[in-house]
Amino acid sequence: EMLAPLLYSLVRFVRPVRLMEIGLGYTTPWLLKGIEDNESVDLSGNSDLDYFKKTYDPVLICIDDMSDKESTASQSAMKYKDSKYIDLIESTFQGKSKEIADKYGKLDFVWFDCGGSKEYGEFLEEYLHMCSGYIAMHYTYYRGEPNPNYEVIDRYCSVYNFERVHMIEPHKYRQGSFCLLRRV
């Protein structure tokens, strides 16, 4: 599985403060590790010292309905739920945006990894206005061809000001791609 280490690298790269993961599982510890590793900074000769003087108080908002207590999602959530960086919301994501916005404001980085095109549309309709940075979404291609999830993203990106990159994992049968959106 190569996507989890890539998400870790993206978290290290963009150093987001307000992260959200919808659909917990294998990627959860990688996102958390990226946040933890961002606490220590290597101030090399190319570091913007003013940037690193800013307060870094990150949170990973994790949303999962935990309907399958034996799943990797539930097991992962239970293992990491007491981290000082995690706010675990045991629920579906639908209808939670106002509560999250009131508590945390805008989201710098979102990892969306649940459902199909219906859920993709529901997420984008409800949360896109809150996303100020990056959104990564799993499974936009199937065997190298755009799938219905891609089509939903395409509709929203044509209305909102987001650029995107789709990366295909040709070696995988299922969930063989992801899409990275960035607000411009």
Side-chain angles (χ1 to χ4, degrees):
E1 178 60 60
M2 299 306 299
L3 192 50
L6 178 60
L7 290 170
Y8 165 84
S9 294
L10 289 171
V11 168
R12 292 299 316 273
F13 191 82
V14 301
R15 203 169 185 244
V17 176
R18 299 291 174 252
L19 297 84
M20 185 167 68
E21 178 183 32
I22 299 175
L24 285 72
Y26 181 70
T27 55
T28 306
W30 291 85
L31 293 168
L32 180 59
K33 179 72 171 147
I35 292 170
E36 291 170 346
D37 289 352
N38 280 344
E39 287 282 6
S40 62
V41 178
D42 177 18
L43 298 176
S44 66
N46 193 26
S47 299
D48 181 349
L49 298 180
D50 290 334
Y51 174 82
F52 290 108
K53 288 178 185 174
K54 296 176 188 173
T55 301
Y56 185 63
D57 185 23
V59 64
L60 175 58
I61 306 152
C62 296
I63 303 176
D64 198 292
D65 68 4
M66 312 300 263
S67 57
D68 181 0
K69 297 294 183 192
E70 302 303 317
S71 72
T72 58
S74 296
Q75 295 301 314
S76 179
M78 291 304 116
K79 185 175 180 181
Y80 298 101
K81 70 180 175 97
D82 295 326
S83 166
K84 71 177 187 175
Y85 300 107
I86 289 185
D87 180 1
L88 176 61
I89 300 171
E90 192 171 333
S91 172
T92 61
F93 68 87
Q94 293 93 337
K96 293 291 181 186
S97 62
K98 181 168 177 7
E99 174 186 327
I100 292 167
D102 288 348
K103 186 171 182 180
Y104 295 109
K106 297 282 186 179
L107 301 169
D108 305 316
F109 190 94
V110 175
W111 169 231
F112 184 85
D113 188 22
C114 79
S117 58
K118 176 183 178 287
E119 290 79 13
Y120 278 54
E122 291 169 346
F123 169 77
L124 291 169
E125 183 68 33
E126 184 175 346
Y127 287 85
L128 196 57
H129 72 280
M130 297 171 50
C131 299
S132 63
Y134 295 87
I135 306 168
M137 302 179 87
H138 213 181
Y139 195 40
T140 55
Y141 278 72
Y142 175 73
R143 291 190 163 172
E145 298 295 326
N147 67 20
N149 298 340
Y150 174 97
E151 294 166 11
V152 170
I153 293 168
D154 191 47
R155 280 195 306 271
Y156 280 90
C157 284
S158 65
V159 173
Y160 292 90
N161 200 16
F162 278 86
E163 61 185 6
R164 64 187 162 161
V165 173
H166 294 272
M167 297 191 75
I168 298 172
E169 299 173 276
H171 61 286
K172 291 175 72 179
Y173 175 71
R174 289 184 49 249
Q175 294 187 329
S177 66
F178 85 101
C179 176
L180 184 64
L181 305 173
R182 183 179 74 90
R183 186 176 289 277
V184 291

